[in-house]
Amino acid sequence: VLEPIITASKAIAEERGIKFKVEGMGEDAELPGVSVCPKYLQEAVGNLLENAIKYVVLGKGNGRALDAPKNPSPRIRIRLTPNHEPYKAGVTILIEDNGPGIPPEDKEAVFIRGYRGDAARLVPGSGIGLDISKSMLEQMGAILDIVDGKQSMTATDRDMLNGTVMRIVLFRSPKIIK
């Protein structure tokens, strides 16, 4: 379901000089089945990857993206893993980058339709994408949130990118919102 979106995003990122890594996808991936609406999942993941591509090129600056130089080595990583406690059976998708990140005070606000933080004002957009993505995922019984990079680590991968980490949690048997 996600391969066309991820492949297209990877091509765009690499065309812009952004290193793009995909982990946990392919024939050898051992992921449980999940219940999703393919179009909603593709739209949501596509939006998150589009945001990562737009913002990863911004540098970190002095805590303010507006003062930041360009990121000299932009990187994006998408990881698919089986859910871990406390979540029930399913798949977790992490979309990580080494851009300026989202300040703690904005982590809830970015999901409000029309909200744009300091970094968002540097690139074109309307501030509705995360709200739409979260709504679509919640209708499928999934979760979309922003996590601290330390929460996203696995036993085999401890190299944090230190930017934004968006997490989608999908379930085998979700509670669907109608």
Side-chain angles (χ1 to χ4, degrees), residues 1-2 5 37-50 129 132-133 136-137 168:
V1 170
L2 291 178
I5 300 299
C37 170
K39 288 183 181 181
Y40 278 11
L41 183 59
Q42 289 173 337
E43 180 76 25
V45 169
N47 179 55
L48 297 177
L49 288 170
E50 181 182 331
I132 291 170
S133 294
M136 288 188 298
L137 289 165
I168 298 171

Side-chain angles (χ1 to χ4, degrees), residues 79-128:
R79 291 192 282 174
L80 290 83
T81 63
N83 288 350
H84 298 287
E85 291 292 332
Y87 299 113
K88 293 183 179 185
V91 174
T92 296
I93 302 169
L94 297 170
I95 298 173
E96 308 167 89
D97 66 54
N98 70 337
I102 298 172
E105 63 272 12
D106 287 347
K107 286 188 177 178
E108 294 297 321
V110 295
F111 293 108
I112 298 170
R113 186 173 292 258
Y115 181 82
R116 291 174 56 82
D118 283 346
R121 293 186 188 107
L122 297 175
V123 297
S126 59
I128 64 171

Side-chain angles (χ1 to χ4, degrees), residues 13-64:
E14 290 176 347
E15 184 177 283
R16 296 179 185 182
I18 301 166
K19 292 181 183 171
F20 192 104
K21 186 175 182 181
V22 181
E23 297 176 4
M25 200 169 104
E27 292 178 20
D28 60 338
E30 294 187 26
L31 299 171
V34 292
S35 179
V36 298
C37 170
K39 288 183 181 181
Y40 278 11
L41 183 59
Q42 289 173 337
E43 180 76 25
V45 169
N47 179 55
L48 297 177
L49 288 170
E50 181 182 331
N51 282 353
I53 290 167
K54 284 195 297 192
Y55 296 110
V56 72
V57 296
L58 302 177
K60 296 195 184 289
N62 296 322
R64 289 183 44 97

Side-chain angles (χ1 to χ4, degrees), residues 151-163:
Q151 290 177 298
S152 71
M153 291 189 307
T154 66
T156 59
D157 188 6
R158 299 203 179 276
D159 61 317
M160 297 184 339
L161 296 185
N162 295 316

